[in-house]
């Protein structure tokens, strides 16, 4: 799809809606996952179309503790809707880069950043072999959803922390989260779409690497 077509697709299949745990932020969100997934013809669900629990918790934490990112260069891995990136920008980050391998995600991030009046740079493609482009703060919400992805993401996050970056993660107690590698910072009760999570609330923790 062209950039214009991607943007049109996001707009046609979402509604601008406040994020339940982070009402300061509005996102172009979908009502139902499976129907939209069929339309995208992707291998993975449309992560960009929903405010997932880990991302909501991490975004809430950044807005409640803006000193974590204020005046910092921020890199948001697997950005999805851009919720966490937008929260970092609203909290006063000097610059924010949102990375995702899904072109629809990057279209959604651009639309969502515009809707919230912030500047977020989008970066396509797999960046897991990079150093997060020298970012001072590396953020990741909901990235430990299966063993394969965890094995790919963990070395990236570990390298960033080893070189001195602040690495913060949001996760709703998914089975593949390597808890012993991180330190819990805060815990939130997060409203989530019933159609996605089979519950109306999930607990999510913000972790520091």
């Amino acid at each position: 799809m062209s950039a214009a077509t991607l943007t049109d697709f996001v707009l046609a299949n979402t509604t601008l809606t406040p994020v339940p745990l982070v009402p300061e932020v509005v996102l172009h969100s979908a009502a139902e996952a499976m129907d939209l997934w069929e339309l995208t013809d992707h291998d993975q669900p449309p992560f960009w179309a929903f405010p997932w629990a880990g991302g909501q918790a991490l975004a809430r934490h950044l807005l409640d503790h803006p000193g974590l990112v204020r005046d910092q260069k921020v890199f948001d891995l697997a950005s999805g809707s851009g919720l966490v990136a937008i929260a970092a920008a609203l909290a006063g980050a000097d610059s924010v880069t949102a990375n995702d391998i899904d072109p629809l995600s990057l279209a959604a991030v651009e639309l969502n950043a515009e809707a919230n009046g912030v500047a977020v740079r989008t970066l396509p493609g797999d960046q897991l072999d990079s150093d997060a482009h020298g970012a001072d703060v590396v953020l990741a919400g909901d990235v430990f959803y299966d063993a394969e992805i965890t094995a790919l993401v963990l070395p990236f996050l570990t390298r960033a922390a080893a070189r001195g970056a602040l690495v913060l993660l949001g996760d709703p107690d998914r089975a593949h989260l390597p808890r012993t590698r991180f330190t819990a910072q805060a815990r939130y009760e997060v409203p989530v779409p019933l159609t996605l999570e089979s519950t109306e609330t999930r607990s999510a923790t913000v972790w520091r690497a």
Side-chain angles (χ1 to χ4, degrees):
M1 294 186 192
S2 67
T5 303
L6 292 167
T7 298
D8 289 344
F9 182 89
V10 173
L11 291 172
N13 291 282
T14 60
T15 302
L16 203 57
T17 308
V19 176
L21 191 67
V22 196
E24 304 96 317
V25 177
V26 292
L27 297 178
H28 290 274
S29 300
E32 209 287 325
M34 295 308 295
D35 291 344
L36 181 57
W37 191 357
E38 291 179 4
L39 290 174
T40 64
D41 196 30
H42 280 26
D43 291 337
Q44 293 185 332
F47 294 119
W48 53 270
F50 304 94
W52 297 84
Q56 288 196 60
L58 184 50
R60 180 74 271 155
H61 193 68
L62 296 178
L63 289 174
D64 290 346
H65 303 88
L68 293 168
V69 294
R70 186 182 294 123
D71 300 326
Q72 300 298 300
K73 181 180 178 182
V74 175
F75 185 96
D76 181 31
L77 178 69
S79 192
S81 66
L83 169 59
V84 173
I86 290 164
L90 289 171
D94 179 63
S95 66
V96 182
T97 297
N99 166 240
D100 205 286
I101 60 172
D102 185 349
L104 279 167
S105 167
L106 301 184
V109 171
E110 291 173 358
L111 287 167
N112 290 330
E114 181 180 5
N116 289 279
V118 295
V120 174
R121 172 187 174 233
T122 55
L123 181 65
D126 185 340
Q127 302 293 318
L128 293 178
D129 287 336
S130 77
D131 70 342
H133 298 263
D136 306 302
V137 181
V138 176
L139 306 171
D142 301 286
V143 294
F144 299 114
Y145 54 85
D146 68 30
E148 181 181 358
I149 295 298
T150 297
L152 293 172
V153 167
L154 193 56
F156 171 86
L157 299 174
T158 301
R159 287 198 312 273
R163 67 168 174 78
L166 171 63
V167 177
L168 295 173
L169 319 166
D171 189 90
D173 301 329
R174 300 213 185 269
H176 298 286
L177 170 70
R179 291 168 178 77
T180 59
R181 304 288 293 271
F182 307 126
T183 303
Q185 304 294 293
R187 192 162 176 84
Y188 299 87
E189 295 302 312
V190 185
V192 293
L194 183 63
T195 55
L196 285 180
E197 302 280 11
S198 300
T199 181
E200 294 183 340
T201 306
R202 288 204 67 165
S203 298
T205 301
V206 174
W207 301 86
R208 179 171 180 165

